[in-house]
Amino acid sequence: MKRNTIDRRTFLQGAGAFAATLPFGRFALAAEPAKPKELIVRVWGGEWKDAIDAGVSQSFAKATGIAIKYDETEDNELQPKLWAAVKQKRRPPVAVNWDTTTNATKSALKKMGEDLSDLPNLKGLLSVAQPLGFEGYPLVNVYSYVYVLAYRTDAFPQGAPKSWKVMLDPKFKGRIALYNDGIGFHPAAQVAGGGKVEDIPKNMKAAWDFIGKLKAQKPLLGEDPDFTNWFQKGEIDLACTIVTNARGAKKNGVKVAWTIPEEGAKVDTDALWIPKGLPANELYWAKQYVNHALSTEAQQGWCDGLGLPGVNPNIKPPADMVGDPAYPTKPEDFKKLLRVPNKIQVENEKEWFGKFKAIMQG
Amino acid sequence: MLLDTLEAVRALLWPRTMRRYSSAVLLLPAIALVLVLVAGLAWMGEASLHLLDTETFDTGEDYTAANYREIGAQSTYWIVLGRSVLGAAIVTLVTLILAFPYAYVMVRTASAWTRKVLLVSLFLPFFIGQVVRAYGWLIILGREGLLNTVFGAVGLGPYKMIYNYPSVLFGLVQYLLPFAVLLIAPAVTAIDEEIELASESLGAHWLRTFRHVTLPMARPGLVAAALVVFTLALTDYAMPVILGGGTNDFIANAVYDAFFRISDSGLGSAVAIVLVLIATALAAVILTVLGAGTLGFSDERR
């Protein structure tokens, strides 16, 4: 009898395989649930919002007629609201959350997200798309990004700095910047301080010593928009930031370039996930949105805007990132990337944050 | 006719027999507000007694004082706390010193034009949010800002005037000055000008009059302003973030970090409770030293 039955996942996969041949490539049920007027997607502002809008949302809205509205609440601030809504079985404030993989992993550990395993476009993605340590897909990673050493070109007439240690040069005192929670810098500091990435998290003395030396350089600590602003206003010469921010500043006419120093640079991922508690029809269309975001067409547009390598292997780097090690394509590029598994990041986030703060606030 | 109708409606909704409860009913919204605050504090107090499990990111069921022990053991919290209290004290002192003459001139000036200018200057900042004002200082004091441009024109600088502790205090003084003036002005208004004139006619120099007559009589306003400015400065979040460059956090920033950056609501609640206790204790010290009577709470003033 089983031979003649079909479970939902198999059906969706089959339908998806068929639907994937269509231009929009969405999976379809026999009768599509009612379309909501709009879907709310949490995003970061600036280049980040522009990129997802141009790459994913506009084509989704055109194909489905569903408008995409954005919630630009900071990811860390939305997180407790989402958790509270799911716990209290209320409708969550957003239908799709664009989140760091570290934050998305925390939400997944709390079982806050819907399983996305039935999305047809998951097939054929790079392995980095799959979250580690979970059954199924409570989140899906959507692209990778590198925390580069961004620098003001005026301050480096001889060319790009070679090492993260340049931040310790006294002439850059008060003119360097890091993220205010130290994110993205730990592995680079570990290697620059003479340690090994493999020793993270057991022995991070090298990283903390290096960060301690940096404290004497009076760094500015901020978030994504601050880096662009600081470069623009001439406040800093060097920063450890996501390549997208440096690229955004450069596009805005700021004399900024970036490099992957000899010690390497941290690579990380961002993710999409859908909080539990959405009405059934909205959940269906939210999944369609995520599925669409993984398609070649949407990934190409989205990642072009961000200047980042997507998880869809069919996309090509944007013209200005071809050959750039911050958009790794060659084996030697990948060798310089420092990766810390998300599980380790999540488990040690509080301790690392506390140590970073102790150094920087001291 | 209209008044009779309104009177009839009032009598129907609130009969004469209920009049004795009128004052209590008028207090209800304030009581409700206080209850909401107390409920929030109670919730945070309870939450502060649970420890975060970083494997599940849920807080544990067991009650523990571990979050408070962590605050006590981590030097960061003591440094940030000390910086906040010291900063609030400096800001209070400087703000009062600047606010008193402003309020005095505003009240005592014979020129209507001067009073209008001072009033407009006082209220204008209220229409501009704290964050916008802080960003305004970045434009003025930044490396490529207005002031450094002027310095550059005469061959000086550039000077680093923002992203440090003094710039945070400067921003707080500018933010809190109007609050202080508004609280001091009624106290100055309440001082009969003839008392000052009497003092001077008896031979007191203006400084002596100021010290022995004006200042003591303006004490209720000064105490109220000191309390408001101190507590607002102590609990401020935006100025340290925008003008502090990330290395001059106040305690409210530590509360934010615990709640939102490391998702530890237990630790965040514990830091918030500590902040409330310290702010309350310091406010109590101010009232004890200067006397609650200065705010008009003593029996003699009834």
Side-chain angles (χ1 to χ4, degrees):
Chain A
M1 292 302 284
K2 200 173 177 190
R3 186 165 57 118
N4 295 324
T5 61
I6 182 166
D7 63 25
R8 185 167 175 269
R9 179 178 294 188
T10 313
F11 168 75
L12 288 173
Q13 281 172 345
F18 166 72
T21 61
L22 301 171
F24 178 52
R26 71 174 196 250
F27 66 100
L29 293 173
E32 279 180 340
K35 288 177 183 175
K37 264 191 193 164
E38 62 185 29
L39 283 176
I40 301 174
V41 179
R42 195 218 72 84
V43 299
W44 290 283
E47 297 87 42
W48 300 82
K49 186 172 92 173
D50 295 345
I52 198 170
D53 189 60
V56 184
S57 301
Q58 284 180 21
S59 48
F60 179 81
K62 195 175 167 190
T64 63
I66 300 171
I68 299 299
K69 274 184 74 176
Y70 298 111
D71 181 333
E72 291 184 54
T73 308
E74 180 65 24
D75 52 341
N76 293 318
E77 290 173 18
L78 186 70
Q79 186 171 265
K81 292 180 190 172
L82 276 174
W83 290 356
V86 174
K87 198 175 171 186
Q88 293 160 11
K89 299 192 188 304
R90 283 189 285 115
R91 185 196 182 101
V94 300
V96 177
N97 194 12
W98 183 14
D99 211 348
T100 63
T101 299
T102 304
N103 273 345
T105 302
K106 287 189 219 169
S107 296
L109 286 168
K110 287 174 78 79
K111 303 190 191 319
M112 294 287 146
E114 295 282 357
D115 183 26
L116 305 174
S117 303
D118 52 7
L119 302 186
N121 284 340
L122 289 176
K123 257 190 186 172
L125 295 182
L126 297 173
S127 60
V128 71
Q130 184 163 18
L132 298 175
F134 297 101
E135 272 189 32
Y137 281 81
L139 59 114
V140 56
N141 294 322
V142 282
Y143 52 78
S144 304
Y145 54 88
V146 180
Y147 289 91
V148 296
L149 176 59
Y151 60 95
R152 174 182 292 280
T153 48
D154 290 352
F156 291 90
Q158 309 298 323
K162 299 273 186 285
S163 163
W164 289 102
K165 289 174 194 159
V166 71
M167 286 185 154
L168 299 176
D169 188 329
K171 74 177 175 189
F172 297 118
K173 190 170 188 172
R175 301 195 52 77
I176 59 174
L178 303 171
Y179 282 96
N180 52 15
D181 46 9
I183 192 171
F185 194 60
H186 301 113
Q190 174 83 350
V191 181
K196 292 178 182 168
V197 178
E198 305 83 77
D199 290 341
I200 295 176
K202 283 183 181 163
N203 179 9
M204 291 177 67
K205 188 176 178 305
W208 301 126
D209 287 349
F210 189 78
I211 292 170
K213 286 178 192 164
L214 266 187
K215 161 69 180 166
Q217 289 287 82
K218 296 186 179 295
L220 295 185
L221 306 177
E223 292 175 15
D224 285 331
D226 294 320
F227 294 101
T228 311
N229 186 34
W230 288 336
F231 272 124
Q232 215 152 17
K233 304 283 184 204
E235 297 287 348
I236 56 171
D237 291 324
L238 287 160
C240 170
T241 186
I242 295 172
V243 64
T244 304
N245 299 319
R247 186 172 175 248
K250 189 178 177 183
K251 278 186 174 176
N252 286 329
V254 183
K255 290 175 181 170
V256 166
W258 55 88
T259 184
I260 307 283
E262 60 196 13
E263 297 93 347
K266 190 195 176 195
V267 63
D268 216 327
T269 50
D270 282 342
L272 291 178
W273 63 280
I274 298 173
K276 286 178 179 170
L278 290 174
N281 68 319
E282 210 169 303
L283 170 61
Y284 172 86
W285 289 106
K287 282 190 170 185
Q288 295 283 10
Y289 182 87
V290 176
N291 189 52
H292 176 56
L294 299 171
S295 67
T296 305
E297 172 207 359
Q299 280 261 298
Q300 185 70 62
W302 189 9
C303 294
D304 275 359
L306 296 172
L308 301 175
V311 291
N312 188 313
N314 302 318
I315 69 166
K316 309 240 174 327
D320 64 317
M321 297 299 288
V322 172
D324 192 319
Y327 192 112
T329 50
K330 302 187 287 284
E332 57 266 35
D333 295 339
F334 288 104
K335 270 186 197 165
K336 291 178 84 175
L337 300 181
L338 311 172
R339 186 160 193 177
V340 179
N342 275 107
K343 189 173 182 295
I344 289 176
Q345 290 193 64
V346 167
E347 284 175 2
N348 293 279
E349 183 189 51
K350 186 179 168 183
E351 189 190 330
W352 294 352
F353 182 81
K355 283 191 173 169
F356 186 80
K357 280 279 171 185
I359 293 169
M360 291 300 171
Q361 294 297 328
Chain B
M1 179 64 186
L2 181 66
L3 284 175
D4 289 343
T5 312
L6 287 173
E7 182 61 28
V9 171
R10 188 202 62 76
L12 191 71
L13 293 173
W14 196 249
R16 191 173 289 272
T17 50
M18 295 292 284
R19 277 192 181 176
R20 74 179 86 160
Y21 303 113
S22 292
S23 56
V25 169
L26 288 171
L27 275 177
L28 279 179
I31 292 169
L33 187 64
V34 170
L35 282 178
V36 169
L37 289 172
V38 170
L41 271 177
W43 179 86
M44 284 211 290
E46 202 275 340
S48 72
L49 298 172
H50 297 285
L51 202 57
L52 179 77
D53 179 351
T54 54
E55 285 198 1
T56 60
F57 269 84
D58 273 324
T59 43
E61 294 291 322
D62 299 335
Y63 285 94
T64 168
N67 289 322
Y68 291 97
R69 282 198 295 273
E70 187 175 341
I71 293 169
Q74 279 200 25
S75 61
T76 316
Y77 289 109
W78 290 102
I79 291 166
V80 170
L81 199 59
R83 181 186 295 143
S84 310
V85 173
L86 178 68
I90 295 170
V91 166
T92 306
L93 187 67
V94 175
T95 305
L96 290 188
I97 289 171
L98 294 174
F100 192 85
Y102 192 106
Y104 191 84
V105 173
M106 194 174 74
V107 170
R108 288 285 191 255
T109 181
S111 160
W113 188 83
T114 306
R115 186 175 297 114
K116 275 179 195 161
V117 169
L118 290 175
L119 272 169
V120 169
S121 309
L122 179 68
F123 282 103
L124 209 58
F126 283 110
F127 298 112
I128 309 162
Q130 186 191 7
V131 172
V132 177
R133 273 191 270 168
Y135 276 108
W137 286 119
L138 295 184
I139 294 166
I140 295 166
L141 302 175
R143 190 179 171 85
E144 293 176 359
L146 207 63
L147 217 53
N148 266 323
T149 308
V150 173
F151 286 135
V154 292
L156 297 169
Y159 299 110
K160 193 172 176 74
M161 291 178 280
I162 47 171
Y163 304 129
N164 49 36
Y165 191 45
S167 67
V168 175
L169 303 188
F170 176 77
L172 283 170
V173 169
Q174 192 264 344
Y175 163 55
L176 294 167
L177 190 65
F179 290 93
V181 174
L182 275 181
L183 287 160
I184 293 169
V188 175
T189 310
I191 302 170
D192 193 339
E193 206 172 349
E194 287 185 0
I195 300 175
E196 290 172 308
L197 289 173
S199 165
E200 285 174 20
S201 68
L202 289 169
H205 186 262
W206 73 266
L207 196 63
R208 207 167 169 199
T209 302
F210 175 75
R211 195 179 148 201
H212 293 289
V213 178
T214 315
L215 214 51
M217 291 186 80
R219 202 161 135 183
L222 287 168
V223 173
L227 271 176
V228 169
V229 170
F230 184 82
T231 46
L232 285 178
L234 182 66
T235 56
D236 195 69
Y237 172 82
M239 288 296 173
V241 166
I242 299 169
L243 295 174
T247 50
N248 291 285
D249 283 0
F250 274 28
I251 199 74
N253 306 108
V255 175
Y256 177 93
D257 286 343
F259 270 108
F260 298 112
R261 289 200 196 286
I262 53 173
S263 313
D264 190 343
S265 56
L267 182 63
S269 299
V271 182
I273 293 287
V274 169
L275 174 60
V276 169
L277 290 176
I278 288 172
T280 309
L282 291 171
V285 167
I286 292 174
L287 285 175
T288 307
V289 171
L290 297 170
T294 55
L295 291 177
F297 294 154
S298 66
D299 290 341
E300 297 80 26
R301 294 291 298 271
R302 276 183 190 163

